[in-house]
């Protein structure tokens, strides 16, 4: 009896101990930073002001120690950023109101880069999501969909990334980059239960969109958007966990987002 | 042999499966948001500009859908924010250069609120850290120290929180709130191996500091600082995991920080 007890107990205890170590040692996992740094070259929408950075102090001061401090100004929707659902949906969550649980979840990386490389206006369709499911199983509840178009390879070249390097209101009509088709957005809202969706382009809707239907469908359902994501090619199609922590702007419609993943 | 195999294998597999669920379901853990929202009432240093928020669009637009977007401006060092090590140490990490592994780790919550309630100028001493260790064991490698002074109860009242509600350069000499004593900062650098330190006041050094010795000692060792933390009273002394994701500002000395913890 004793022998049988140890035969069971020791492997269980060892397994349990090792898995607790996994939990505690989050810092030992493989981390991928899905965020671009903010700088004056950060890409914003053609009609938005860019990121301003001002050095207020930098150097040894009169008290004999190093001191460095800066200030900055930005529109909410540029660089790697959050679209809070209220961006396109009256009364939906603002940046400060999204529960943390909705910003953390299993990554579902949908790769449409091959289709988008031959067609700058490609929009992810339901079939792309179904293809993912055929290979990896049903999209889990609370998933964070990450749409990989491959356009990250152009960053920070505006011409390649947006389809036009021009600035100003008229330039917003010259954008060509891939996005999410409204039919896929609708399918995700109606057929699955996801928390957020991100993409490695400047917008959830493709560049040629005029009415932003995918934004409107998703955000009305309080699904958050993450735009201008970096390094999606470094994630497995399945198995990573996303942690997306936006700057907590009271009543914000979006804002700078630090988004990382581990596996 | 078969029976013995299952006797071992089944409990191991069940234990392994259950601990993997824990990992996958990070969104089911208890999360605490340690960040204040940014708004015009956010507390900055008396000589720094506050947070500016501008509504650029809000309402139904001419295309018949809701659209809301804002812009903002801020100094790096106000509200819940990161001090990148370069803030006080030439050549140390900037905001964009801190490895993610150094921003994630086990929380060590050191409660000095009782001492600080009777003395606004109290500084955490080595003995406070040793008291924590006597109760909870040695501070683990990669720990994130969270100093709980109890001053979060004053937020966002400047008088209570900082010791003076005045603005301007002269007011920086009228600050009184608790912090970390340089001897404790030195002990942490020399005797332990921590990744970061946070506090629920406006500064790692106490308000009456003139030379910011604790900042200088810690940041020279590439230990990051987190200031103006919220909700530290909602964390256990040991057992929580901190995830601190700052806005990724290229060459930044700090910036808005979204910091959360789960247990």
């Amino acid at each position: 009896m004793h022998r049988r007890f140890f035969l069971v107990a020791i492997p269980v205890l060892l397994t349990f101990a090792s898995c607790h170590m996994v939990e505690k040692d989050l810092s030992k996992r493989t981390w991928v930073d899905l965020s671009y740094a903010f700088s004056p070259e950060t890409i914003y929408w053609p009609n938005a002001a860019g990121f301003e950075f001002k050095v207020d102090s930098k150097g040894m001061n009169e008290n004999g120690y190093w001191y460095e401090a800066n200030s900055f100004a930005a529109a909410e929707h540029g660089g790697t950023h959050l679209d809070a659902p209220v961006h396109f949906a009256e009364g939906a969550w603002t940046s400060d109101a999204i529960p943390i649980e909705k910003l953390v979840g299993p990554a579902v990386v949908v790769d449409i880069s091959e289709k988008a490389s031959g067609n700058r206006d490609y929009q992810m369709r339901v079939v792309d999501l179904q293809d993912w499911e055929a290979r990896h199983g049903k999209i889990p509840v609370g998933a964070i969909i990450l749409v990989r178009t491959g356009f990250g390879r152009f960053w920070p070249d505006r011409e390649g990334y947006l389809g036009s390097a021009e600035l100003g209101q008229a330039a917003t009509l010259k954008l060509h980059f891939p996005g999410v088709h409204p039919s896929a957005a609708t399918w995700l809202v109606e057929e699955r239960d996801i928390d957020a969706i991100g993409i490695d382009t400047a917008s959830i809707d493709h560049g040629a969109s005029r009415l932003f239907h995918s934004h409107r469908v998703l955000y009305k359902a309080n699904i958050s958007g993450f735009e201008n994501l970096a390094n999606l090619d470094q994630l497995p199609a399945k198995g990573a966990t996303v942690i997306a922590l936006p700057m907590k702007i009271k009543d914000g419609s979006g804002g700078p987002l630090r988004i990382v993943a581990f596996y």
Side-chain angles (χ1 to χ4, degrees), chain A:
Chain A
M1 189 61 194
H2 265 201
R3 195 166 147 235
R4 202 190 283 178
F5 173 77
F6 284 112
L7 211 62
V8 176
I10 289 173
V12 167
L13 285 172
L14 285 175
T15 311
F16 196 69
S18 78
C19 82
H20 260 245
M21 275 178 57
V22 169
E23 254 244 325
K24 279 185 186 159
D25 285 353
L26 265 189
S27 62
K28 300 238 167 71
R29 306 302 298 271
T30 299
W31 287 86
V32 180
D33 192 346
L34 308 180
S35 330
Y36 294 114
F38 283 88
S39 79
E41 73 176 4
T42 296
I43 296 176
Y44 282 70
W45 210 247
N47 61 352
F51 182 75
E52 289 172 51
F53 182 75
K54 183 171 158 282
V55 176
D56 295 323
S57 304
K58 185 173 184 171
M60 296 298 289
N61 69 7
E62 69 280 11
N63 290 318
Y65 59 84
W66 186 265
Y67 185 74
E68 201 168 322
N70 314 293
S71 51
F72 63 95
E76 288 175 330
H77 299 276
T80 301
H81 72 281
L82 165 77
D83 274 8
V86 80
H87 186 38
F88 276 88
E90 185 177 8
W93 283 329
T94 53
S95 309
D96 53 326
I98 306 167
I100 298 167
E101 292 79 358
K102 300 287 181 185
L103 298 165
V104 173
V108 165
V109 182
V110 183
D111 188 349
I112 58 167
S113 60
E114 212 165 300
K115 290 171 177 174
S117 78
N119 175 8
R120 293 186 69 89
D121 296 318
Y122 186 73
Q123 298 177 76
M124 180 183 76
R125 303 280 168 155
V126 175
V127 69
D128 296 309
L129 295 164
Q130 287 168 335
D131 281 353
W132 188 94
E133 289 197 336
R135 267 180 230 138
H136 305 290
K138 192 172 172 180
I139 293 169
V141 172
I144 295 181
I145 308 284
L146 299 175
V147 183
R148 185 188 159 204
T149 71
F151 270 46
R153 70 182 182 277
F154 293 120
W155 185 276
D157 175 62
R158 298 180 69 94
E159 175 84 36
Y161 191 75
L162 297 175
S164 166
E166 290 177 40
L167 295 173
Q169 189 62 36
T172 63
L173 304 178
K174 299 181 180 174
L175 304 181
H176 291 280
F177 56 79
V180 173
H181 195 277
S183 61
T186 303
W187 187 84
L188 284 168
V189 168
E190 293 181 353
E191 305 295 332
R192 295 295 179 270
D193 184 3
I194 68 168
D195 282 350
I197 184 166
I199 193 165
D200 59 355
T201 67
S203 173
I204 296 294
D205 280 281
H206 72 161
S209 175
R210 297 290 170 265
L211 294 171
F212 302 98
H213 277 296
S214 293
H215 281 82
R216 291 154 62 186
V217 166
L218 291 158
Y219 298 0
K220 194 176 169 187
N222 262 334
I223 293 166
S224 297
F226 308 143
E227 295 170 337
N228 296 319
L229 299 186
N231 299 322
L232 291 187
D233 58 333
Q234 293 179 31
L235 290 183
K238 181 187 181 176
T241 297
V242 176
I243 301 173
L245 297 184
M247 180 176 168
K248 192 174 180 176
I249 301 176
K250 185 170 157 54
D251 299 331
S253 77
L257 176 72
R258 191 69 181 270
I259 175 170
V260 299
F262 69 84
Y263 62 87

